[in-house]
Amino acid sequence: MALRPLGINALMSAASEGALTYGQVPAAGFFRLPFVSHALGEEQPLIEDDQLGFGREGLDPTYDVITNDGDLVVPVDLRGFGFWLRQTFGPPTTTPDGAKFRHVFRSGASALPSTSIEISQPEGPSNSVHYGAVVNTLNIPMQRSGMLNATLAMIAQGETDASAVSVAGAPTVLRGPRFAQATGSIEVDDEIAGDIVSAGVTYSNQLDKVEVIRADGRIGGVDLGKVMSSGQLVVRGARGALASKGRGKVPAKISFGWTQTDGSLTFVLPRIFLPRVKQPIQGPKGLQSTFNWQASGAEAAQLTVTLINDVASYA
């Protein structure tokens, strides 16, 4: 009996297109990376024919332009996630940190690398590459327990036809160990915040598709927009520092972090603004308020991400 493709057997390899022409698949430099799910893939809808004069049956439809947008969900781990941080923020500043390496990523880069992402199904075998993929948004939700994942909203130029031969060759494996929600912490103005029930941080490059006229129906690329960092804090009994900041219209510094024996990951936003929020009472249990905050880059980078691990380079 022929084997049917299964998600558990799927493989993902990715490489930065770097200095190559946008959308050109590199011949080397691929990393084998873990993923949770992906929704990339070319789509080309049909346009109903609008001609009259040929009876009620209608004529052949016309194919519209090609798009390849979708979410890629990846685990937030010690090694592999650094590749996606590089593709989101641009190359980091990397320095030795004892026996490890400190990678510092900052928002607002003037240029971003595009990515070639190969999805492989060994049962075929079948391999297709999503090329010219650029990270539009990065979102990480934070809660008390569960798996820690990041959702990357990607805009790609296209997808190659399926092939029995992989272009990734012998990729460098970047995997784990995974950070856990249970190891997370949140600091407000450099002090541990113990009253936050859940949180989330979203970083957006606000990409603008270059929708030029081309014979192949694909986009010509993407232009970078104004970066935006925002998120949510759900606070138990919101009558402390966060509520005071919101009422006083005073910016706060906030950091999200996860640690493990082999390294750490920290997101720091030095200047966020909190809205003034109501404090509803919805029953006999504890009171909670939700702050939808926004970051500012008026004095420094909106967002700085520091990853400490044993990977020397993501180039």
Side-chain angles (χ1 to χ4, degrees):
M1 183 177 66
L3 294 176
R4 288 184 288 270
L6 299 174
I8 192 64
N9 295 329
L11 303 173
M12 181 177 71
S13 302
S16 175
E17 294 173 354
L20 298 174
T21 301
Y22 169 76
Q24 180 179 341
V25 179
F30 278 84
F31 293 98
R32 175 66 48 77
L33 300 163
F35 71 106
V36 176
S37 66
H38 91 88
L40 291 168
E42 282 195 340
E43 294 181 305
Q44 189 172 25
L46 298 170
I47 304 175
E48 182 181 355
D49 189 84
D50 60 358
Q51 298 175 83
L52 305 178
F54 295 93
R56 294 179 59 219
E57 294 295 344
L59 302 179
D60 292 347
T62 299
Y63 285 93
D64 202 359
V65 296
I66 292 174
T67 59
N68 189 354
D69 305 342
D71 287 349
L72 175 63
V73 181
V74 299
V76 178
D77 67 357
L78 189 64
R79 298 185 179 93
F81 189 58
F83 175 84
W84 296 115
L85 290 174
R86 183 186 188 277
Q87 301 309 100
T88 303
F89 298 100
T93 300
T94 299
T95 55
D97 190 316
K100 296 182 172 58
F101 298 91
R102 178 183 297 265
H103 309 278
V104 180
F105 305 84
R106 291 184 175 86
S107 60
S110 59
L112 293 178
S114 56
T115 315
S116 288
I117 305 169
E118 182 184 69
I119 303 296
S120 301
Q121 295 290 162
E123 296 91 349
S126 176
N127 308 275
S128 63
V129 181
H130 305 275
Y131 54 85
V134 184
V135 178
N136 190 20
T137 64
L138 165 68
N139 174 261
I140 300 178
M142 194 172 183
Q143 56 194 20
R144 186 170 180 269
S145 66
M147 293 296 188
L148 183 61
N149 295 325
T151 299
L152 303 161
M154 313 286 293
I155 297 176
Q157 185 182 43
E159 178 185 6
T160 64
D161 292 334
S163 169
V165 180
S166 169
V167 301
T172 301
V173 177
L174 290 178
R175 184 185 66 185
R178 199 168 184 172
F179 289 104
Q181 291 277 17
T183 67
S185 64
I186 300 174
E187 293 185 2
V188 178
D189 290 337
D190 297 318
E191 294 186 0
I192 295 293
D195 54 355
I196 297 176
V197 177
S198 63
V201 58
T202 298
Y203 175 78
S204 177
N205 285 309
Q206 299 203 75
L207 301 179
D208 181 24
K209 292 183 183 180
V210 181
E211 299 190 278
V212 295
I213 298 172
R214 292 168 49 120
D216 63 3
R218 295 180 173 90
I219 61 174
V222 292
D223 288 337
L224 304 183
K226 181 180 73 172
V227 303
M228 183 173 183
S229 303
S230 59
Q232 186 181 83
L233 296 169
V234 178
V235 182
R236 190 73 172 243
R239 296 184 179 275
L242 293 176
S244 299
K245 295 274 186 181
R247 290 194 299 271
K249 302 177 183 178
V250 178
K253 175 185 176 183
I254 189 168
S255 65
F256 305 84
W258 301 267
T259 60
Q260 54 177 259
T261 303
D262 299 318
S264 63
L265 174 66
T266 307
F267 286 68
V268 178
L269 300 110
R271 187 176 176 85
I272 71 162
F273 285 83
L274 298 144
R276 183 166 182 162
V277 299
K278 57 186 177 182
Q279 299 174 357
I281 299 175
Q282 298 175 318
K285 295 185 178 181
L287 306 184
Q288 293 185 172
S289 294
T290 300
F291 294 86
N292 294 306
W293 54 265
Q294 294 182 22
S296 167
E299 297 182 356
Q302 285 186 21
L303 174 58
T304 299
V305 184
T306 302
L307 174 64
I308 299 176
N309 61 16
D310 58 1
V311 179
S313 174
Y314 286 98

